[in-house]
Amino acid sequence: MNVESDIIVRCKKYDKSAFTELFKMYERYLYKLCYNYVQNEQDALDIAQEVYIKVFNNISSFDAKMPFHPWFRTIAVNTCLNFKRTLRYDSVSLNAGYEDDRTFEEVVAAPWDVESEVLDKELGHIIRENLECLRPKHRMVLILRYYEGLSYEEIAAALKEPLGTVKTDIYRARNILKEKLRSAMK
Amino acid sequence: MKLGGAEMNCGFDREIIQRYADNTIDPLEYIFLKEHINYCGECRKELDMVMTLENELYKFFDDDSELRNLDMNIARLVDDCMCELNKKEKLKYTLNRSIEFGRKVADNSLKFAKYIPGTKIIGKGAKKAALFTGNLMKSLVKKEVEKLLTNLR
């Protein structure tokens, strides 16, 4: 997300309209990031509000020469990771057939072409349900990878973690979800 | 990468499959994978699962259905933040004014004290008393130390 430096300069002077503009710009991105992490509306709104207050209170310490988005993302990620969750979701079962004996191209093309809408929804439910069971950091690396589309190196920089740790985390998170999908598809 | 060293029964490096999904696979690895998939059912299933999960994760995190009625009431939030900021600024201003006022009162009190009759005499007396007490203490300590030293000898 590109934020014009002019808005940041105005925010640093505590210009009310600049803050409104900046927060509006980030509204959807921030809410989705928080929602993906907590998977419920109320907690997502609470975290998003907390993030905005932190941004407002710390904007004076932000270096306007640096890109704004990574700074904002770091605040959002840390606020999510420090948040204590409250809700749990009901479990969903799945019985789906499994096709085999296909070529490389067929296997690679399959998830986009063949899966029915119903099955997609059910797989989504399985992911949602099992995201809850993942460790908070594992959940966050998945969000940064699949929601933000960051590379492993960028995730490591965002979380201030070594690259190896991030790779291990994402490997474990994916493995857990893969096992759940595999057992659901049997 | 060591964690990618996990191998399946067929001995194929699972990480190559993940690298394909990540779009970071080498051209040579790609040829190798393509060939291998055509005869290994286990790796075909693994590739299928990896691609399904990748696809599902992208779809899952890209789902906008929760955003339709999003209204975070940003105008009110900014108002509240500005209000808090104003409160803090006011408090800071009041504290600074109080400190400045206290300093002025202390300065004026000292200036005033100079004009009270007898201030100089009292000041001199206090100095003399302090000097006398200091000397007395010194001599007492000296005597005691000397006594201790003679006892030791």
Side-chain angles (χ1 to χ4, degrees):
Chain A
M1 194 177 292
N2 276 329
V3 180
E4 285 174 31
S5 58
D6 170 54
I7 297 177
I8 304 301
V9 172
R10 278 164 56 216
C11 284
K12 281 172 89 70
K13 290 174 187 168
Y14 291 100
D15 179 327
K16 196 173 148 183
S17 64
F19 271 112
T20 311
E21 201 178 328
L22 179 73
F23 289 176
K24 267 272 170 218
M25 206 183 283
Y26 267 92
E27 187 179 29
R28 289 170 74 85
Y29 161 80
L30 178 62
Y31 176 77
K32 260 187 83 171
L33 182 99
C34 300
Y35 186 88
N36 281 332
Y37 183 75
V38 286
Q39 291 298 313
N40 80 78
E41 192 184 339
Q42 196 48 54
D43 286 347
L45 285 170
D46 287 350
I47 299 176
Q49 191 169 329
E50 203 181 322
V51 171
Y52 277 156
I53 292 168
K54 280 182 185 172
V55 168
F56 185 94
N57 289 336
N58 293 294
I59 195 82
S60 56
S61 63
F62 170 69
D63 183 358
K65 289 171 198 156
M66 303 296 283
F68 179 74
H69 185 69
W71 183 76
F72 185 92
R73 184 172 55 216
T74 303
I75 292 179
V77 165
N78 290 337
T79 310
C80 282
L81 289 172
N82 290 327
F83 184 76
K84 303 280 176 244
R85 354 193 33 209
T86 49
L87 289 178
R88 291 265 154 199
Y89 278 80
D90 297 323
S91 60
V92 179
S93 66
L94 175 77
N95 291 308
Y98 198 87
E99 193 191 343
D100 203 1
D101 199 27
R102 287 165 290 156
T103 63
F104 177 81
E105 284 78 7
E106 282 167 348
V107 173
V108 166
W112 289 274
D113 299 338
V114 180
E115 298 288 352
S116 70
E117 202 175 310
V118 178
L119 181 62
D120 279 351
K121 272 187 183 171
E122 284 175 338
L123 291 177
H125 273 298
I126 292 167
I127 290 173
R128 180 191 296 274
E129 185 190 327
N130 288 291
L131 268 180
E132 299 256 323
C133 310
L134 296 181
R135 286 166 60 187
K137 214 167 72 154
H138 289 179
R139 212 158 51 229
M140 188 48 82
V141 289
L142 287 182
I143 292 167
L144 292 175
R145 173 78 186 159
Y146 295 100
Y147 171 57
E148 280 260 27
L150 299 186
S151 66
Y152 298 139
E153 287 81 4
E154 287 169 323
I155 296 172
L159 293 173
K160 293 186 174 67
E161 296 268 9
L163 181 60
T165 311
V166 167
K167 281 183 176 175
T168 310
D169 284 347
I170 204 160
Y171 171 81
R172 285 181 183 157
R174 271 197 298 229
N175 245 15
I176 291 168
L177 293 178
K178 218 160 37 178
E179 286 310 312
K180 296 286 178 187
L181 284 185
R182 194 171 281 135
S183 60
M185 287 169 98
K186 269 176 189 168
Chain B
M1 194 175 66
K2 270 289 153 218
L3 57 90
E7 289 175 349
M8 289 182 271
N9 293 335
C10 69
F12 193 80
D13 187 355
R14 197 176 287 200
E15 192 57 25
I16 294 177
I17 297 176
Q18 188 56 53
R19 275 203 287 276
Y20 172 78
D22 289 344
N23 212 12
T24 54
I25 193 167
D26 292 338
L28 200 65
E29 283 178 337
Y30 176 70
I31 296 166
F32 187 41
L33 172 67
K34 207 175 162 181
E35 281 298 310
H36 183 74
I37 287 298
N38 286 335
Y39 66 82
C40 179
E42 195 184 352
C43 287
R44 194 157 52 236
K45 277 183 186 173
E46 178 63 16
L47 176 67
D48 196 3
M49 185 49 70
V50 166
M51 294 310 291
T52 304
L53 182 64
E54 284 289 303
N55 186 39
E56 285 305 318
L57 283 170
Y58 276 116
K59 257 196 288 190
F60 179 78
F61 288 121
D62 197 40
D63 182 16
D64 273 354
S65 56
E66 294 294 332
L67 288 166
R68 278 178 207 135
N69 301 316
L70 177 63
D71 180 16
M72 285 179 60
N73 207 346
I74 284 170
R76 192 178 161 187
L77 179 73
V78 174
D79 272 347
D80 289 349
C81 285
M82 294 303 283
C83 188
E84 279 299 310
L85 181 77
N86 287 339
K87 271 186 204 166
K88 276 183 199 165
E89 287 298 312
K90 266 185 191 169
L91 187 67
K92 218 163 117 182
Y93 177 76
T94 314
L95 277 173
N96 282 340
R97 290 272 298 169
S98 307
I99 291 165
E100 183 65 17
F101 182 71
R103 201 177 60 79
K104 274 185 182 169
V105 167
D107 279 356
N108 289 334
S109 305
L110 282 171
K111 274 180 197 169
F112 176 74
K114 282 180 188 170
Y115 299 101
I116 297 171
T119 312
K120 279 186 181 175
I121 298 163
I122 292 166
K124 276 178 188 173
K127 264 186 191 174
K128 270 185 186 175
L131 199 68
F132 176 73
T133 320
N135 287 339
L136 191 70
M137 290 302 285
K138 263 185 199 171
S139 60
L140 279 173
V141 171
K142 211 174 175 182
K143 269 181 192 173
E144 286 301 314
V145 171
E146 275 170 4
K147 260 187 198 176
L148 277 169
L149 284 172
T150 47
N151 284 343
L152 281 170
R153 280 166 200 159

